[in-house]
Amino acid sequence: MNPIGRDAGPITPAGDDRRLREAARALEGVFVAQLFKAMRETVPQDGALSGGAGEEMFSSMLDERMADLVPTQWNSDLGDALLRQFRTRLAPTQGADPSAP
């Protein structure tokens, strides 16, 4: 078991790459969720169309779902940049040459 408490699969370069891609996708989702939250805060909450607590709950759930979906359809380099950073941070712990790019 890994430190998180669930089996993350075999410790292989392919397994590491898969886990790094999943971590990058998860961080993209966090970024998108924060982006949606910031955008939603710019919308006025008062008026005839205000939905109260129910709207807030639904909007939060919608933002979470969109944060999961958007990175899979998003053509950005954010995930690739995160993946490169993860690989460079992981390489020294696996015996790779830390001076290599």
Side-chain angles (χ1 to χ4, degrees):
M1 282 222 179
N2 68 6
I4 297 174
R6 62 183 173 95
D7 186 14
I11 299 175
T12 63
D16 285 343
D17 193 56
R18 179 184 52 79
R19 291 191 337 240
L20 291 176
R21 286 187 189 281
E22 289 172 2
R25 175 73 40 91
L27 282 174
E28 276 185 309
V30 169
F31 173 76
V32 171
Q34 292 299 313
L35 181 66
F36 286 161
K37 180 180 175 186
M39 289 188 323
R40 197 168 299 283
E41 288 174 358
T42 65
V43 178
Q45 297 296 319
D46 55 349
L49 298 177
S50 177
E55 181 181 7
E56 287 178 28
M57 184 175 69
F58 175 75
S59 296
S60 175
M61 290 171 36
L62 178 64
D63 290 349
E64 286 178 26
R65 181 69 177 140
M66 293 297 291
D68 288 339
L69 294 176
V70 167
T72 64
Q73 304 297 315
W74 199 5
N75 211 7
S76 77
D77 292 328
L78 180 61
D80 295 333
L82 289 169
L83 188 58
R84 283 192 302 273
Q85 285 296 313
F86 290 160
R87 285 178 178 154
T88 59
R89 300 289 182 197
L90 184 64
T93 63
Q94 292 184 344
D97 181 11
S99 63

